[in-house]
């Protein structure tokens, strides 16, 4: 147990020590990398993008989609029963985006020029749009997260000020997210003729966006299950089934678009007639990420049952794996043939990714333990006043 | 609400785009002026030679460079040192008439006669011989090997320049001493096989001439279907030989079948010498010091393994390493031998004797003069008159030289000499023309040397002031004639004792069966490797 | 007036003068052992802005012959790299070159992924790396001089001039000489490029990327990007609308639980 003052503490466990070790390695490596450049990676002219792009950036952003989806469901659609997940989701998203920003910084060859896009606009570039959206959205998330933070350290007024902005922030957040989640897909539209036809389509932005909207709540589900274990709070029997349903419907939409697109572009047949690394990975992605979770979802849905915890978490895991596979396939598998040579990340690359994730988890744990992120239904403490403050912006709390 | 929004969207799209672009421009402007300047574009920090820095793309005097295949056995180029001066093209095109004398696209070969003239002209020595010094040093260090060396005529009047001596310094004895000091087990003189070449080539010429006089075609002595065409071409300059194979393959029947002196000595070292000294030919490493880069190519020609075939190992080649004069100097310096301070020494026995006739092989006209001296003897059975020991018309640096002399019993013998391959074309095109029109041959014997001045101006010789000047060539050339006239005891190839000895003990007589096996060769039609230009 | 270069593959004998000129002019390093500029292993790299690649092909008579193809950035009319750059570090100039401004670059390497020809390379060994590619000697062009590589070629493999003129010449050459295949590489590829090639051998045999689409690539992206502003307004509007409705409903505090329509339309 580390005690900073009477309010702020941090419990130590073996697992956390391990995370700290990885984070330590991460920071050392990052400094080293900043000094010597990208030669520590296995990136090459044939593979300008690798592990960091897949995980630190593409996946990071997709998996942090829980923030804007839950915020949208809660504030815009006014579905109050998911309240318990909103704050943790925003926290995860905020952290996720901070990590993405850090990951991107590490990945940038001329990292010290990270601010150039602000003054020199490449407005034709999807990357520019992505940069700007991520930048603005991180600011928005910070503002959304601010009440929790200021409240935690006792600045109630400041907290209140930010609460007042909620409506605007939520809508801005959704718009920005829509743009950059889909931009992650649009980015690869430029790879026409090189990205394998199994993945290249003009519909990439739609696919990326819808899969993000589906995977966001799935991440929240898993997170809730995990943190429930750690903090002994209950499985929210109202919020979770709703999220499972949400993911199910959105994923169905995604899957239909994906399949229709494959059919229209005459690629579906190839999946079953040729066998190579590409078709294999694509099938794997489709089965794990869509077919299985959709099968479970619809079989439950048709029979009118709600998913229990086990089912919901299992489905969520499938969906997350599906997105992981999909992003990896677009960046790596689909580009394999046109790259001409292979790629496997170097140890340093892997350590940096692992370290970054470890660091993220540590910060998450620290914040959630000290800033009252998980406040189970009806739990009475001073945070409630802030949360009821949320009501001031229009959404009443229970 | 949604509908109206859609409309607003449609209307505002252009406005919005404009806004975005406008803001972008503002951002760019801000970037340019304030926060962030665009900086300089990449590149353009270096230079190119002045002739290329002209508006548009005007023709220039010298442009580009010669192509060199990375596999070229003779020359290599270090791009780091190339300044695109274009001198190599000048040498290759204007002097040697190789580059620019074939059509593009090329076929499956980068046309190069391996003469190395480009390496002499290249001001930064970007082009240089393929360096084999290390291999020779390694061989010298191996106690199991018997390393022998031969030195070409032209090396002894040039290697001194690498040690600060004036061009043409005669340094034969010191060079021999240096080679012995470096540990070569036998130091031989290519002059020995030059004399032998005269015997073989002279005999071949006599056969051709007699055949012509008899008005017939027929096999040579020994039953070989030796070519009988006149004029006969000399074959001791490998650059010239390859040039003929490339551009005049139709005239290859004129080429003497004799190997060059280098290859003759190589073949004899692993047969005659090995046998006499009781050395396993497989243990012999045969090195040659040549003024020439094409010698490296010649040594590597697949058919240059007669000793190997004779010894039952086709992989054994006659000459293992051909070093240039420059490489020899480098090697001496590696061994820290100051050539100038050494005491003169003599070449080793049985392949070390040479005559004045042999030493002038190193200059243009020299082979011809030597051949005439002994040819006279072979035709008449008498030694030539005094006049033939100072045959002025065949000497000197004029590009094409012609001479004729009366040989008793034969009549008028007409000869021609050219050096520098550009000059060769004059005689070759004329011959082609004559043959097409069924004219009598104008000459009986033509000496072709690839390099200007002959071997003394070879591509492997010490680099001189730029461009390689005739003054230097003249100095080296004068020295060879001095050696012929004043220093060598004998001036007739057929009087070489060791040559006489090898015929009695080993070869039998000139152009014998064994001589053909070891000392003669065949040529390759390379006409299909390029598309020669019709007429430049 | 936009400039162009026409490369006639049949005239190249592989001397590599062009590659040296490029290195001289642009101050690039040499590494013959690992990064050769001429031959079968020659490849564009951070230090090789141009290479002459050697290819063994079959000629009309069925004989194996060699061809040398001088490669460098093709300088697209609508460059994917420039369109992909988030800071505008890559720019198409009026004279034709696509130029790189290292001071702006942040090193995201999207341009490398974006280029359909795989041209931009990266200085992987450097601490502060730059993207590396042929600049078409933009500073020479500004002085009306031909690119360095063009001006040193002994065989006139490359012709430099106004793009229309160059294209006309290319068409005339392949029309008048039946050895040439009837294709001008770069005329249509990726929407057209400033460097164009003619050859007597199929381009795929000379290591050219022939799968490149004829459509300009930035157009694909632009089709999406240009919808963004509208989408932004519409989507923002819808969200605000729904948000307000939801809030009003809550304000009315209907005793019933709020029933929501599918929000994601
Ligand atoms: S002579 Fe030498 S420096 Fe000049 S172009 Fe030729 S190789 Fe380059
Ligand atoms: S690597 Fe540099 S030049 Fe390339 S897109 Fe990124 S910022 Fe632009
Ligand atoms: S145009 Fe200039 S930068 Fe481009 S390859 Fe030629 S010399 Fe190099
Ligand atoms: S300079 Fe000309 S001939 Fe030489 S390699 Fe380059 S394009 Fe080919």
């Amino acid at each position: 147990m580390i005690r900073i003052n009477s309010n702020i503490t941090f419990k130590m466990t073996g697992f956390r020590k391990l995370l700290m070790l990885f984070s330590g390695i991460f920071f050392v490596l990052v400094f080293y990398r900043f000094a010597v450049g990208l030669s520590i990676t296995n990136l090459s002219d044939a593979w300008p993008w690798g592990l960091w792009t897949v995980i630190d950036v593409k996946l990071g952003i997709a998996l942090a989609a829980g923030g804007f989806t839950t915020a949208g469901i809660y504030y815009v659609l006014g579905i109050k029963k998911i309240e318990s997940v909103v704050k943790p989701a925003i926290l995860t998203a905020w952290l996720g985006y901070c990590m993405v920003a850090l990951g991107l910084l590490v990945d940038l060859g001329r990292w010290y020029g990270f601010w150039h896009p602000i003054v020199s606009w490449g407005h034709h570039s999807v990357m520019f749009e992505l940069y700007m959206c991520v930048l603005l959205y991180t600011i928005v998330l910070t503002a959304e997260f601010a009440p929790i933070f200021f409240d935690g350290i006792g600045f109630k007024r400041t907290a209140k000020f930010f609460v007042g902005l909620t409506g605007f922030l939520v809508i801005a957040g959704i718009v920005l997210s829509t743009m950059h989640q889909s931009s992650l897909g649009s980015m690869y539209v430029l790879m026409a003729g090189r990205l394998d036809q199994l993945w290249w389509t003009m519909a990439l932005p739609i696919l990326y966006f819808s899969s993000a909207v589906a995977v966001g709540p799935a991440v929240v589900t898993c997170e809730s299950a995990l943190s429930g274990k750690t903090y002994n709070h209950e499985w929210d029997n109202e919020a979770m089934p709703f999220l499972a349903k949400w993911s199910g419907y959105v994923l169905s939409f995604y899957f239909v678009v994906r399949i229709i697109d494959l059919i229209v572009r005459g690629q579906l047949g190839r999946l079953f007639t040729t066998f190579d690394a590409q078709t294999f990975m694509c099938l794997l992605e489709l089965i794990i990420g869509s077919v299985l979770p959709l099968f479970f979802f619809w079989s439950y849905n048709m029979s009118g049952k709600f998913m229990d915890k086990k089912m919901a978490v299992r489905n969520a895991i499938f969906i997350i794996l599906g997105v992981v596979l999909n992003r990896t396939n677009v960046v790596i598998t689909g580009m394999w043939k046109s790259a001409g040579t292979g790629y496997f990340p170097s140890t340093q690359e892997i350590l940096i990714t692992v370290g970054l994730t470890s660091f993220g988890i540590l910060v998450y744990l620290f914040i959630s333990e000290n800033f009252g992120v998980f406040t189970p239904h009806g739990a009475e403490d001073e945070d409630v006043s802030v949360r009821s403050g949320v009501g001031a912006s229009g959404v009443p709390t229970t | 609400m949604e509908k109206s929004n859609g409309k607003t969207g449609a209307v505002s799209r252009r406005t919005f785009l404009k806004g975005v672009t406008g803001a972008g421009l503002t951002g760019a402007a801000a970037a340019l002026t304030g926060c962030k300047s665009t900086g300089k574009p990449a590149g353009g920090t270096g230079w190119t030679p002045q002739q290329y820095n002209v508006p548009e793309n005007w023709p220039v005097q010298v442009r580009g460079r010669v192509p060199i295949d990375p596999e070229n056995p003779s020359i290599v180029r270090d791009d780091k040192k190339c300044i695109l001066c274009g001198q190599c093209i000048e040498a290759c095109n204007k002097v040697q008439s190789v580059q620019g004398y074939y059509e593009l696209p090329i076929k499956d070969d980068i046309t190069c006669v391996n003469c190395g003239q480009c390496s002499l002209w290249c001001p930064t020595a970007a082009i240089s011989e393929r360096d084999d010094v290390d291999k020779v040093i390694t061989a010298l260090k191996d106690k199991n090997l018997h390393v022998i060396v031969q030195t070409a005529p032209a090396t002894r009047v040039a290697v001194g320049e690498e040690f600060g001596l004036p061009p043409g310094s005669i340094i034969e004895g010191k060079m021999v001493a240096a080679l012995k000091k470096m540990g070569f087990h036998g130091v031989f003189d290519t002059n020995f096989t030059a004399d032998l070449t005269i015997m073989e080539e002279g005999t071949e010429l006599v056969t051709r001439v007699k055949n012509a006089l008899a008005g017939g075609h027929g096999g040579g002595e020994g039953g070989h279907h030796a070519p009988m065409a006149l004029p006969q071409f000399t074959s001791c300059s490998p650059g010239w030989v390859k040039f003929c194979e490339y551009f005049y393959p139709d005239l290859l029947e004129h080429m003497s079948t004799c190997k060059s002196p280098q290859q003759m000595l190589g073949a004899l070292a692993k047969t005659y010498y090995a046998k006499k000294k009781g050395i396993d030919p497989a243990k012999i490493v045969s090195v040659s010091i040549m003024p020439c880069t094409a010698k490296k190519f010649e040594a590597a020609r697949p058919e240059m393994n007669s000793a190997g075939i004779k010894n039952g190992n086709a992989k054994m080649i006659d000459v293992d390493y051909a070093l240039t004069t420059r490489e020899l100097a480098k090697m001496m310096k590696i061994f820290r031998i100051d050539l100038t301070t050494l005491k003169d020494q003599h070449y080793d026995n049985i392949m070390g004797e040479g005559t004045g006739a042999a030493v002038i092989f190193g200059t243009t006209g020299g082979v011809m003069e030597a051949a005439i001296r002994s040819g006279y003897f072979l035709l008449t059975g008498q030694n030539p008159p005094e006049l033939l020991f100072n045959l002025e018309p065949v000497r000197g640096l004029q590009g094409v030289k012609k001479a004729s002399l009366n040989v008793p019993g034969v009549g008028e013998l007409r000869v021609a000499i050219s050096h520098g391959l550009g000059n060769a074309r004059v005689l070759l095109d004329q011959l082609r023309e004559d043959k097409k029109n069924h004219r009598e041959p104008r000459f009986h014997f033509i000496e072709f040397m690839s390099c200007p001045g002959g071997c003394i101006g070879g591509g492997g010789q010490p680099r001189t002031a730029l461009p390689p000047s005739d003054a230097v060539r003249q100095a080296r050339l004068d020295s060879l004639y001095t050696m012929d006239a004043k220093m060598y005891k004998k001036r007739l190839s057929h009087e070489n004792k060791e040559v006489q000895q090898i015929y009695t003990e080993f070869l039998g007589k000139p152009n014998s069966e064994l001589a053909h096996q070891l000392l003669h060769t065949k040529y390759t039609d390379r006409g299909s490797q390029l598309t020669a230009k019709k007429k430049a | 007036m936009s400039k162009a270069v026409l490369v006639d593959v049949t005239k190249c004998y592989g001397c590599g003068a062009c590659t040296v000129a490029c290195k001289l002019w642009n101050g690039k390093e040499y590494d013959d052992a690992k990064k050769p500029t001429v031959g079968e292993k020659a490849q564009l790299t951070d230090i090789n802005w141009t290479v002459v690649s050697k290819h063994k092909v079959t000629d009309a008579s069925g004989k194996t012959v060699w061809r040398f193809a001088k490669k460098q950035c093709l300088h697209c009319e609508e460059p994917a790299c420039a369109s992909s750059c988030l800071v505008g570090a890559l720019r198409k100039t009026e004279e034709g070159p696509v130029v790189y401004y290292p001071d702006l670059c942040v090193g995201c390497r999207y341009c490398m992924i974006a280029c359909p020809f795989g041209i931009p390379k990266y200085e992987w060994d450097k601490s502060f790396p730059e993207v590396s590619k042929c600049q078409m000697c933009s500073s020479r062009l500004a002085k009306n001089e031909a690119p360095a590589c063009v001006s040193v070629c002994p065989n006139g493999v490359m012709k430099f001039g106004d793009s229309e003129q160059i294209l006309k010449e290319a068409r005339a050459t392949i029309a008048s000489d039946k050895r040439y295949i009837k294709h001008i590489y770069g005329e249509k590829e990726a929407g057209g490029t400033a460097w164009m090639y003619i050859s007597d051998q199929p381009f795929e045999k000379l290591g050219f990327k022939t799968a490149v689409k004829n459509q300009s690539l930035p157009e694909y992206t632009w089709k999406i990007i240009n919808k963004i502003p509208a989408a932004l307004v519409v989507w923002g509007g819808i969200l605000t609308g729904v948000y307000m409705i939801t809030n009003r409903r809550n304000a009315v505090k209907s005793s019933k639980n709020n029933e929501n329509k599918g929000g994601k339309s």
Side-chain angles (χ1 to χ4, degrees), chain A residues 184-203:
Chain A
L184 283 171
S186 323
M187 220 149 79
Y188 270 79
V189 163
L190 210 49
M191 264 53 98
R194 280 181 306 138
L195 177 59
D196 196 296
Q197 285 291 313
L198 290 172
W199 291 280
W200 187 90
T201 158
M202 283 302 277

Side-chain angles (χ1 to χ4, degrees), chain C residues 81 84-87 89-90 100 105-112 122 131:
Chain C
C81 62
S84 76
C85 182
L86 77 167
V87 287
L90 286 157
Y100 171 68
C105 174
V106 298
C108 68
R109 310 184 296 285
Y110 188 29
C111 48
M112 301 177 67
Y122 209 58
V131 167

Side-chain angles (χ1 to χ4, degrees), chain B residues 313-333:
Chain B
N313 174 11
K315 284 208 186 96
M316 179 193 291
I317 59 173
D318 296 347
V319 174
D320 296 284
Y321 306 112
L323 302 187
T324 61
T325 314
R326 293 193 295 265
E327 282 172 284
L328 171 62
K330 180 180 163 190
M331 210 172 142
M332 289 178 186
K333 287 169 187 170

Side-chain angles (χ1 to χ4, degrees), chain A residues 296-339:
Chain A
F296 291 123
F297 167 69
W298 282 107
S299 56
Y300 270 76
N301 214 28
M302 300 295 235
S303 58
K305 280 188 286 184
F306 266 143
M307 281 198 183
D308 61 5
K309 182 175 173 185
K310 217 176 108 202
M311 287 308 300
V313 171
R314 187 179 64 188
N315 245 21
I317 291 175
F318 277 133
I319 298 175
I320 294 172
L321 281 179
V323 171
V324 172
L325 279 169
N326 175 260
R327 303 307 194 256
T328 315
N329 281 343
V330 169
V331 181
I332 311 271
T333 320
M335 297 295 281
W336 200 272
K337 273 191 194 149
S338 62

Side-chain angles (χ1 to χ4, degrees), chain C residues 53-68:
Chain C
S53 60
K54 178 179 165 184
H55 304 270
K56 290 188 174 143
V57 293
T58 338
D59 72 359
S61 63
K63 221 188 128 202
T64 300
V65 294
W66 299 350
R67 286 291 174 273
F68 292 93

Side-chain angles (χ1 to χ4, degrees), chain A residues 163-175:
Chain A
V163 166
L165 292 176
T166 305
F168 169 74
L169 290 177
V170 166
I171 291 177
I174 296 176
V175 171

Side-chain angles (χ1 to χ4, degrees), chain C residues 5 50 70 139 149 171 192 241 247 259:
Chain C
V5 178
T50 182
K70 198 253 179 211
S139 57
C149 55
R171 291 210 184 102
N247 276 354
E259 282 169 61

